[in-house]
Amino acid sequence: MGESARAIVVVAETADDVAAREALLDDAMGPKRKTKSSEKLRRGRRPSEGLAFVARDASGSVMGTVRLWDVTLGEAGPAALLLGPLAVDPSLKNAGIGSVLMRHAIAEAARLGHAAILLVGDAPYYGRFGFSAAKTGSLAMPGPYERHRLLALELVEGALDGARGTLKASGRKLKAQAPTLAA
């Protein structure tokens, strides 16, 4: 299975990747993915500048995706990123592609000067990348979520000290598009 991860390249997502990314997310996460609390923070927004990635196989097909979003921690609180969704083609689970995407996303966020990343996910999986619930006790997601799954990683030591309140979307808004007729 490790062979699969070596045949993958992580690159910036392009407009040409949208259909493949959405199909992959539907396959990996199912129809309930659009009802999650994290989705409320992403809806109508663009990912943080330079922080939307896809993993491609040797043929150029999208095998995985991860995006990070600009948020504010509480009312007029510090800026941070919200990671998600992270998804890999279900036929390639356990091939290391998710780990490659996570490491790339974290490194790029740090390189771009971001101070902290939050996500809603499984601590055993994300803990290996440094995420924990240690500094999220005074933070909340909009809408329902499992509190123990709100995890954070400080890219700058102390970035989450004193952070409190509900996460709020703060990223660039999508441009309004005229409705199109279904074919």
Side-chain angles (χ1 to χ4, degrees):
M1 284 287 184
E3 192 62 37
S4 297
R6 284 195 291 271
I8 296 294
V9 61
V10 176
V11 296
E13 177 184 291
T14 69
D16 292 340
D17 296 323
V18 172
R21 180 197 69 230
E22 290 300 306
L24 178 120
L25 288 170
D26 287 343
D27 287 348
M29 306 186 101
K32 290 189 178 184
R33 75 178 176 94
K34 293 188 177 187
T35 65
K36 296 183 177 197
S37 289
S38 297
E39 185 61 29
K40 291 179 182 180
L41 294 167
R42 296 188 286 258
R43 195 170 292 125
R45 304 280 176 166
R46 295 178 177 274
S48 187
E49 186 70 38
L51 293 174
F53 306 104
V54 294
R56 297 187 195 284
D57 65 10
S59 72
S61 297
V62 174
M63 299 288 104
T65 178
V66 67
R67 302 164 102 199
L68 295 103
W69 308 81
D70 296 304
V71 294
T72 301
L73 306 179
E75 288 297 325
L81 294 170
L82 179 69
L83 185 142
L86 167 69
V88 174
D89 181 316
S91 71
L92 296 172
K93 277 207 186 277
N94 300 316
I97 297 167
S99 293
V100 170
L101 281 163
M102 282 298 297
R103 287 189 181 93
H104 185 84
I106 292 166
E108 281 300 296
R111 187 185 70 77
L112 292 171
H114 293 280
I117 303 172
L118 287 88
L119 59 81
V120 177
D122 295 323
Y125 180 82
Y126 291 104
R128 65 180 139 160
F129 306 107
F131 285 84
S132 78
K135 294 203 173 183
T136 62
S138 295
L139 294 169
M141 293 291 292
Y145 72 103
E146 295 174 78
R147 175 163 286 292
H148 70 278
R149 292 172 50 88
L150 181 58
L151 309 175
L153 169 67
E154 288 183 326
L155 301 173
V156 174
E157 189 174 338
L160 297 174
D161 290 353
R164 58 185 344 96
T166 301
L167 277 64
K168 301 193 178 330
S170 62
R172 303 169 296 152
K173 291 187 177 181
L174 290 173
K175 292 180 180 153
Q177 296 179 350
T180 57
L181 298 176

